[in-house]
Each structure stands twice: as structure tokens, then as C-alpha cells.
Amino acid sequence: MTNEMWGGRFASGPAGIMEEINASIDFDKRLSAQDIAASIAHCEMLAQTGIISRDDGEAIVKGLDTIASELEAGSFEFSRALEDIHMNIEARLTALIGPVAGKLHTARSRNDQVATDFKLYIRECLGSLDALLRALQQALAQKALLHAATVMPGFTHLQTAQPVTFGHHCLAYVEMLARDRSRFADARKRANECPLGAAALAGTSFPIDREQTAHALGFDRPMANSLDAVSDRDFVLETLSGAAITAMHLSRLAEEIVLWSSDRFGFVKLSDSFTTGSSIMPQKRNPDAAELVRAKSAAVFAAFTQLLIVMKGLPLAYSKDMQEDKIPAFTALDTLALMLAAMTGMVGDMQPDKEAMGKAAGAGYSTATDLADWLVRELDMPFRDAHKVTGAIVARAESAGVALSDMPLAEMQKIEPGIDDAVFSVLSVETSVESRKSYGGTAPENVRKMAQGWIKRLENESTSG
Ligand code: ARG
């Protein structure tokens, strides 16, 4: 029976529409390996505790192994009518080994099953994101070492502020990514409790051993409350919140690459590998990969918000709403992995133009603070007064159209008679960055040390997960 209003897509009528909205197999088939692993752990526990016989247990595990190879070979046939990955696998198991397959679902529900599968999946993602973040940190730290003394303008309000080194700028991102990794590592710690055995919501009357299944699946312990176990999606949300912050960091770097590679800035060149030409303007080299990283961050933020909204009104314990946790999470985590890989490629690929950066670093009276600091140090002036004097000198230089380092001494002395020749030693961008040796400052000597430290640390560490 068809319905005119619903149109051709739902040709099979209400039942077809129900299948369309209800079935999750199109996306949760991704959890097949986790589903099999969790089923094997559950089955072995059932046999060990005597809830099912050893023979039945062995038959079930053998069947599950066969399904695992079918999935791997791509010969497994997924059916929408069977709704989700759990029922697809169970139906296949029944086809392979007969009614004994039905014993697998003793003391279990799809509610604790899906929570377990998804948590296993998220834990794997946390591991691979960590490895991708580390690779990007390595690319940035290597650039930083190479450009520890490459001077560029540092900005505040996107106005030239003070000279910094390009290496210092790269290391800023290495630090951000380190915090991102520690957020994921933290999420990973809390994802160490196993939902399996919570059954539908209340636990079970069978004498199951939840410690056994938890350990078999690599968890530290079972979750302590069955209601919480089936209704908790914090582990996804924590991962997505960390992913959102990482995506924001990547988007900022992407934005900088877009600016830097524009011909107004001309600070970096990207090769053909990460740019595209224009179909009409032959001179163009567009930073598409950076623009796409910037834009793709939106999908990651959206996924986090989307899942919060799905969850916020749900009474305990499981509601079918929670099936809608997977699409946003898969989308966000796939997207972030791609963003990280593209960014790592771009960072390795980009070539800073030292001359253009150096020239820009000197523009905009970027060493005015160095002049003020010199007045404080050499003439014992309070900083506020030094700030005023410097302002007056900058104003005069500006109206004369010269850089601070090209201001005649006599002109400066008209404003502050105490100034002497020695002042010129602090007015160049090179001496400016060299002088900023305070901990965390931009001095090439600092940056070199920091970059070397990071390179060594990143090389020696094993990634978590
Ligand atoms: N496909 C479902 C999901 O992803 C599995 C759990 C279904 N449980 C239920 N009681 N209908 O959430």
C-alpha cells in the first residue's frame, strides 16, 4: 500500500517508513567488530559461570568467529529488516548454528550491548586521534626548530604588535595540541568501565560475572549502576567536546595559513599538493585544504551540540533517541581525523618566506616596546613615562615616514635628551626577539631549546590507546 503524500521513496507504506526511521544498520554496521568481541566475551562468561553449557558456548563462539571472517571478507549480507548490527549478527548466527544461537542473548539486552560496543569503538578512536595529534605536533616542532630564528610580526587585534619568531608561533600550536591530547587521555581514563551485564536496565537474575567480561574486553571494571550503564553517553560527549576544541585549534591554524598564503601577507607558500588553481584565473593558488579544515570544524562542533540536545531531555534509562548518538559521533570523529591528516600535510608542506616575514616584522613600529623598555632600563624612567616618550617618537617617525631604526638620533633627543646612540641596538627586529629570553618568550635560543625538547619527547613517547 502506498500513500500519495509520502511519495515514492516510501513505496511500501507505513511498514516501510517504520523501517526507514527505525533501522540503524546503515550506520551501526561500523560496530560489527566490537559487537562480535563483546558477544564472545559475554558467551565465554556464560559458559564459565554455567549459565549455558560449555558445548553451547563453543558452538556460539565458533559461529561468531565465522561471522567475523565473513565481515572481514565483505561477504556478510546486512539486512535493513533486521534493524541493527546486533540483530543482523544474531540472525546470521542462528542461520549458521541453529536455535542454540538464541542462548547468547541470555542475561543481556541490546541496551547494554550497544553501550558496550560504542564505548569500545570510542576508545579505539581516542587512540587513533592521539596518534594523529602526535604526528601534527611532530610536524610543527620540526618546523619550529628549522625556523627558531625566522622573524615575523606578532599580532594582537591583527595589528602588528611585536616581532616574534615563526618557530615560536608553531610551538604555540604544539602546546595547544598537547592539551588536546591530555583531554582525550582524560576521557579515555573515564571510559574504563564496562556497561555489559547491566542488561535492559535493572541487571539480571542470572549469576553473571561482570568482572570477567569487563576484563576480557580491556576495561578496568564494570560500571557500578545498571541504570547509569545503559543510559550513559558521557563517554561520547567527552570525546566530542575534546574533538570540538581540537577542531577549533585546527581551524585557527587553518585561518592563519589562509592569511599567510594570501598575497597581501605572502608569509608562506603552499605547494601544488595542498592548493588548487582557479579555472578562470591562471595566477591563482588557492589554499583549499586550509579553507576546508576551517569549514569542517563546523561539523565537529555541530555533532557535539547535536548529541547534547538528543540527550538532555531523556529520562532514565534507555530511549531509542540514543540510537541517534552514532551518526554525529562517526561524522565528527571521521572529520577530525581527516582535518588532522590534512593539517599535518600542510604544515610539512608550507615554506615560510623569510624575507617577506622579516620585512613585515619591522613595519608598524613593532619595536616601540623595545624602545620603551630601553628608556626604563637605561634612563631609569617609570614605564608609564617611557610609554609616553616612545609614543611621541613613534608619532614623529610616522610623520617623517621612517622606521624607528632610521630615526635620526637628534630627532629622538628633541623628545628625550637622555637618549644616546646605544638605543639603536634595540630597535631592530632581530635584537628585539633575541632579547625576549623570559621563560616562554620568543627568543630564538628559547625556541630552539623548546623545539628540541618537544621533538625528543614526542619521539620517545608511546601513544596512548
Ligand atoms: N540499535 C539500537 C541503538 O543503537 C540498539 C539498542 C536497541 N534497544 C532497544 N531497546 N530497542 O541504540
Side-chain angles (χ1 to χ4, degrees):
M1 191 183 67
T2 58
N3 179 305
E4 306 242 319
M5 293 241 297
W6 295 327
R9 177 144 183 251
F10 305 113
S12 49
I17 293 168
M18 180 53 188
E19 187 179 297
E20 188 92 22
I21 193 168
N22 193 41
S24 54
I25 188 63
D26 290 345
F27 50 90
D28 69 16
K29 61 169 114 174
R30 253 203 221 222
L31 300 178
S32 59
Q34 290 78 7
D35 197 70
I36 300 240
S39 285
I40 290 177
H42 182 68
C43 178
E44 282 172 347
M45 181 278 292
L46 290 177
Q48 194 109 35
T49 51
I51 298 169
I52 64 171
S53 73
R54 292 217 154 264
D55 286 353
D56 288 349
E58 272 166 33
I60 292 170
V61 170
K62 209 167 145 236
L64 289 168
D65 283 339
T66 306
I67 297 172
S69 0
E70 290 175 357
L71 283 159
E72 211 157 300
S75 61
F76 188 94
E77 275 181 41
F78 295 100
S79 151
R80 262 193 160 187
L82 292 167
E83 206 180 312
D84 60 20
I85 186 62
H86 323 295
M87 313 256 263
N88 268 267
I89 289 178
E90 192 177 325
R92 180 66 187 139
L93 190 63
T94 307
L96 284 171
I97 66 169
V100 69
K103 295 195 173 184
L104 173 61
H105 214 53
T106 314
R108 183 177 83 167
S109 148
R110 278 189 292 155
N111 297 350
D112 59 338
Q113 201 179 348
V114 73
T116 305
D117 293 358
F118 202 21
K119 205 181 248 191
L120 287 169
Y121 179 88
I122 291 289
R123 283 154 50 108
E124 283 173 32
C125 283
L126 288 168
S128 44
L129 286 175
D130 187 64
L132 287 166
L133 279 160
R134 175 185 180 223
L136 177 53
Q137 281 184 302
Q138 283 176 315
L140 284 161
Q142 262 139 23
K143 273 278 134 124
L145 184 59
L146 216 55
H147 293 283
T150 301
V151 180
M152 69 181 281
F155 300 96
T156 59
H157 315 268
L158 198 56
Q159 309 283 325
T160 304
Q162 292 173 347
V164 295
T165 61
F166 184 60
H168 196 51
H169 201 115
C170 291
L171 288 184
Y173 283 98
V174 174
E175 298 287 337
M176 293 177 226
L177 299 174
R179 291 195 296 276
D180 293 338
R181 291 179 69 189
S182 96
R183 264 182 286 274
F184 285 137
D186 204 44
R188 178 67 176 75
K189 269 185 230 154
R190 268 184 298 282
N192 259 344
E193 296 189 342
C194 183
L196 195 59
L201 77 165
T204 174
S205 57
F206 289 98
I208 57 170
D209 183 348
R210 292 192 60 204
E211 292 285 341
Q212 182 185 330
T213 44
H215 291 130
L217 292 169
F219 291 97
D220 288 351
R221 65 192 85 86
M223 289 181 80
N225 182 299
S226 61
L227 288 167
D228 179 40
V230 294
S231 72
D232 161 47
R233 290 296 181 274
D234 293 4
F235 61 98
V236 191
L237 285 165
E238 277 194 68
T239 303
L240 292 181
S241 72
I245 296 175
T246 303
M248 176 274 292
H249 286 152
L250 296 182
S251 183
R252 293 183 74 176
L253 178 52
E255 165 65 8
E256 297 200 300
I257 293 175
V258 171
L259 284 174
W260 292 342
S261 63
S262 71
D263 44 43
R264 293 299 150 132
F265 278 75
F267 288 0
V268 302
K269 268 214 169 58
L270 290 168
S271 78
D272 291 347
S273 323
F274 287 95
T275 53
T276 61
S278 156
S279 51
I280 176 164
M281 298 163 283
Q283 84 284 9
K284 296 260 292 213
R285 190 193 281 266
N286 300 324
D288 295 38
E291 293 170 294
L292 289 166
V293 166
R294 190 172 59 183
K296 279 179 187 293
S297 64
V300 183
F301 308 151
F304 176 46
T305 314
Q306 186 177 339
L307 186 54
L308 280 174
I309 298 169
V310 166
M311 295 302 295
K312 80 173 180 66
L314 300 185
L316 303 189
Y318 178 87
S319 298
K320 196 62 175 265
D321 306 54
M322 290 162 74
Q323 179 164 285
E324 294 296 308
D325 56 358
K326 290 169 208 67
I327 294 180
F330 292 154
T331 308
L333 300 175
D334 289 352
T335 301
L336 184 60
L338 179 57
M339 289 166 70
L340 282 164
M343 190 50 89
T344 304
M346 273 188 284
V347 167
D349 183 70
M350 72 184 171
Q351 293 304 333
D353 183 333
K354 289 190 195 182
E355 216 188 294
M357 279 184 172
K359 213 169 136 209
Y365 303 97
S366 65
T367 56
T369 319
D370 299 87
L371 172 54
D373 287 349
W374 186 88
L375 295 169
V376 169
R377 226 174 17 246
E378 303 300 324
L379 307 186
D380 199 26
M381 231 182 241
F383 183 78
R384 285 293 162 218
D385 296 343
H387 186 279
K388 263 188 224 125
V389 169
T390 306
I393 294 175
V394 167
R396 187 160 299 199
E398 221 167 1
S399 59
V402 297
L404 271 184
S405 51
D406 294 331
M407 269 288 274
L409 181 60
E411 283 295 303
M412 291 199 250
Q413 284 170 335
K414 276 188 206 155
I415 293 162
E416 172 47 59
I419 296 179
D420 63 28
D421 236 10
V423 76
F424 290 104
S425 71
V426 301
L427 297 182
S428 81
V429 292
E430 285 77 17
T431 53
S432 170
V433 294
E434 270 158 29
S435 71
R436 288 189 159 64
K437 293 193 184 103
S438 56
Y439 181 77
T442 196
E445 168 185 328
N446 278 8
V447 172
R448 209 165 286 122
K449 233 183 273 159
M450 285 282 184
Q452 277 160 346
W454 270 116
I455 289 168
K456 201 177 281 165
R457 214 176 324 159
L458 291 165
E459 233 162 49
N460 293 338
E461 84 189 7
S462 62
T463 57
S464 69

Short mmCIF file of all heavy atoms in Angstrom, two decimals, residues 22 24 27-28 83-86 109-111 114 233 318-320 322-326, ligand 1:
data_model
loop_
_atom_site.label_atom_id
_atom_site.label_comp_id
_atom_site.label_asym_id
_atom_site.label_seq_id
_atom_site.Cartn_x
_atom_site.Cartn_y
_atom_site.Cartn_z
N ASN A 22 13.56 3.53 11.73
CA ASN A 22 13.96 2.72 12.88
C ASN A 22 15.31 2.02 12.68
O ASN A 22 16.07 1.86 13.62
CB ASN A 22 12.86 1.67 13.11
CG ASN A 22 13.02 0.98 14.45
OD1 ASN A 22 13.34 1.63 15.45
ND2 ASN A 22 12.80 -0.32 14.48
N SER A 24 19.00 1.08 12.06
CA SER A 24 20.27 1.79 12.23
C SER A 24 21.42 1.06 11.54
O SER A 24 22.56 1.51 11.60
CB SER A 24 20.58 1.96 13.72
OG SER A 24 20.54 0.71 14.37
N PHE A 27 24.29 2.68 9.48
CA PHE A 27 25.46 3.29 10.13
C PHE A 27 26.08 2.45 11.24
O PHE A 27 27.29 2.48 11.42
CB PHE A 27 25.15 4.72 10.60
CG PHE A 27 23.88 4.87 11.42
CD1 PHE A 27 23.91 4.74 12.80
CD2 PHE A 27 22.67 5.16 10.81
CE1 PHE A 27 22.74 4.89 13.56
CE2 PHE A 27 21.50 5.31 11.56
CZ PHE A 27 21.54 5.19 12.93
N ASP A 28 25.25 1.66 11.98
CA ASP A 28 25.90 0.96 13.10
C ASP A 28 26.61 -0.32 12.68
O ASP A 28 27.23 -0.98 13.51
CB ASP A 28 24.94 0.78 14.30
CG ASP A 28 23.80 -0.20 14.07
OD1 ASP A 28 23.87 -0.98 13.11
OD2 ASP A 28 22.85 -0.17 14.87
N GLU A 83 17.02 -4.48 11.32
CA GLU A 83 17.16 -3.28 12.12
C GLU A 83 18.58 -2.81 12.41
O GLU A 83 18.99 -1.76 11.97
CB GLU A 83 16.41 -3.45 13.45
CG GLU A 83 15.97 -2.15 14.05
CD GLU A 83 15.22 -2.35 15.38
OE1 GLU A 83 14.30 -3.20 15.42
OE2 GLU A 83 15.54 -1.64 16.34
N ASP A 84 19.31 -3.57 13.23
CA ASP A 84 20.61 -3.04 13.63
C ASP A 84 21.69 -4.12 13.60
O ASP A 84 21.43 -5.27 13.25
CB ASP A 84 20.53 -2.36 15.01
CG ASP A 84 20.07 -3.30 16.12
OD1 ASP A 84 20.18 -4.54 15.95
OD2 ASP A 84 19.60 -2.80 17.16
N ILE A 85 22.89 -3.73 13.96
CA ILE A 85 24.03 -4.65 13.86
C ILE A 85 23.85 -5.85 14.80
O ILE A 85 24.21 -6.98 14.45
CB ILE A 85 25.37 -3.90 14.15
CG1 ILE A 85 26.58 -4.81 13.91
CG2 ILE A 85 25.43 -3.31 15.54
CD1 ILE A 85 26.75 -5.32 12.51
N HIS A 86 23.24 -5.60 15.96
CA HIS A 86 23.09 -6.69 16.93
C HIS A 86 22.18 -7.80 16.38
O HIS A 86 22.51 -8.97 16.45
CB HIS A 86 22.52 -6.14 18.25
CG HIS A 86 23.05 -4.78 18.59
ND1 HIS A 86 24.38 -4.56 18.87
CD2 HIS A 86 22.43 -3.57 18.65
CE1 HIS A 86 24.56 -3.26 19.09
NE2 HIS A 86 23.40 -2.64 18.96
N SER A 109 20.93 -7.49 27.05
CA SER A 109 19.92 -6.75 26.29
C SER A 109 20.68 -5.97 25.23
O SER A 109 21.88 -5.75 25.35
CB SER A 109 19.17 -5.81 27.24
OG SER A 109 18.76 -4.65 26.56
N ARG A 110 19.94 -5.52 24.22
CA ARG A 110 20.64 -4.67 23.25
C ARG A 110 21.07 -3.35 23.90
O ARG A 110 21.95 -2.67 23.39
CB ARG A 110 19.73 -4.40 22.05
CG ARG A 110 19.76 -5.52 21.04
CD ARG A 110 19.04 -5.12 19.78
NE ARG A 110 17.61 -4.97 20.01
CZ ARG A 110 16.79 -4.21 19.28
NH1 ARG A 110 17.28 -3.50 18.28
NH2 ARG A 110 15.51 -4.14 19.54
N ASN A 111 20.41 -3.03 25.01
CA ASN A 111 20.76 -1.75 25.66
C ASN A 111 22.18 -1.74 26.23
O ASN A 111 22.93 -0.79 26.04
CB ASN A 111 19.74 -1.43 26.76
CG ASN A 111 18.35 -1.24 26.20
OD1 ASN A 111 18.17 -1.18 24.99
ND2 ASN A 111 17.35 -1.16 27.07
N VAL A 114 24.72 -2.30 23.08
CA VAL A 114 25.09 -1.17 22.23
C VAL A 114 25.99 -0.20 22.99
O VAL A 114 26.94 0.37 22.44
CB VAL A 114 23.86 -0.45 21.62
CG1 VAL A 114 23.09 0.36 22.64
CG2 VAL A 114 24.28 0.44 20.46
N ARG A 233 25.90 8.34 27.98
CA ARG A 233 26.66 8.58 26.74
C ARG A 233 27.72 9.66 26.99
O ARG A 233 28.21 10.30 26.07
CB ARG A 233 25.74 9.02 25.59
CG ARG A 233 24.83 7.91 25.07
CD ARG A 233 25.59 6.74 24.44
NE ARG A 233 24.72 5.69 23.93
CZ ARG A 233 24.24 4.67 24.67
NH1 ARG A 233 24.55 4.57 25.95
NH2 ARG A 233 23.45 3.76 24.14
N TYR A 318 17.21 3.68 29.05
CA TYR A 318 17.41 3.77 27.60
C TYR A 318 16.17 4.31 26.89
O TYR A 318 15.05 3.98 27.24
CB TYR A 318 17.73 2.37 27.04
CG TYR A 318 17.90 2.36 25.54
CD1 TYR A 318 19.14 2.63 24.95
CD2 TYR A 318 16.82 2.11 24.69
CE1 TYR A 318 19.28 2.65 23.57
CE2 TYR A 318 16.95 2.13 23.32
CZ TYR A 318 18.19 2.40 22.76
OH TYR A 318 18.33 2.43 21.40
N SER A 319 16.39 5.19 25.92
CA SER A 319 15.33 5.57 24.98
C SER A 319 15.90 5.44 23.58
O SER A 319 17.11 5.60 23.38
CB SER A 319 14.89 7.02 25.18
OG SER A 319 14.35 7.21 26.45
N LYS A 320 15.05 5.20 22.61
CA LYS A 320 15.53 4.97 21.25
C LYS A 320 16.22 6.20 20.70
O LYS A 320 17.04 6.12 19.77
CB LYS A 320 14.36 4.56 20.34
CG LYS A 320 14.79 3.93 19.00
CD LYS A 320 15.59 2.63 19.19
CE LYS A 320 15.89 1.95 17.88
NZ LYS A 320 14.94 0.91 17.51
N MET A 322 18.60 7.47 21.79
CA MET A 322 20.05 7.30 21.93
C MET A 322 20.69 6.61 20.73
O MET A 322 21.91 6.65 20.57
CB MET A 322 20.35 6.54 23.22
CG MET A 322 20.03 7.42 24.43
SD MET A 322 19.86 6.50 25.96
CE MET A 322 21.57 6.15 26.26
N GLN A 323 19.88 6.00 19.89
CA GLN A 323 20.40 5.45 18.64
C GLN A 323 20.99 6.56 17.77
O GLN A 323 21.86 6.32 16.94
CB GLN A 323 19.28 4.72 17.90
CG GLN A 323 19.67 4.12 16.59
CD GLN A 323 18.64 3.10 16.11
OE1 GLN A 323 18.56 2.01 16.62
NE2 GLN A 323 17.83 3.49 15.15
N GLU A 324 20.48 7.77 17.99
CA GLU A 324 20.93 8.93 17.20
C GLU A 324 22.25 9.51 17.75
O GLU A 324 22.59 10.65 17.45
CB GLU A 324 19.85 10.01 17.17
CG GLU A 324 18.60 9.59 16.40
CD GLU A 324 18.84 9.33 14.92
OE1 GLU A 324 19.42 10.21 14.25
OE2 GLU A 324 18.46 8.25 14.43
N ASP A 325 22.95 8.75 18.57
CA ASP A 325 24.27 9.20 19.03
C ASP A 325 25.35 8.89 17.99
O ASP A 325 26.39 9.53 17.96
CB ASP A 325 24.64 8.53 20.37
CG ASP A 325 24.59 7.00 20.31
OD1 ASP A 325 24.25 6.42 19.26
OD2 ASP A 325 24.90 6.37 21.34
N LYS A 326 25.07 7.91 17.13
CA LYS A 326 26.16 7.38 16.32
C LYS A 326 26.50 8.24 15.11
O LYS A 326 27.68 8.50 14.84
CB LYS A 326 25.85 5.94 15.89
CG LYS A 326 25.91 5.01 17.07
CD LYS A 326 25.37 3.64 16.77
CE LYS A 326 24.82 3.00 18.03
NZ LYS A 326 23.61 3.67 18.58
N1 ARG B 1 20.11 -0.01 17.64
C1 ARG B 1 19.89 0.36 19.00
C2 ARG B 1 20.74 1.57 19.35
O1 ARG B 1 21.63 1.88 18.63
C3 ARG B 1 20.22 -0.76 19.91
C4 ARG B 1 19.50 -0.75 21.21
C5 ARG B 1 18.06 -1.04 20.99
N2 ARG B 1 17.39 -1.28 22.22
C6 ARG B 1 16.06 -1.28 22.31
N3 ARG B 1 15.55 -1.49 23.47
N4 ARG B 1 15.31 -1.07 21.26
O2 ARG B 1 20.50 2.23 20.34
#
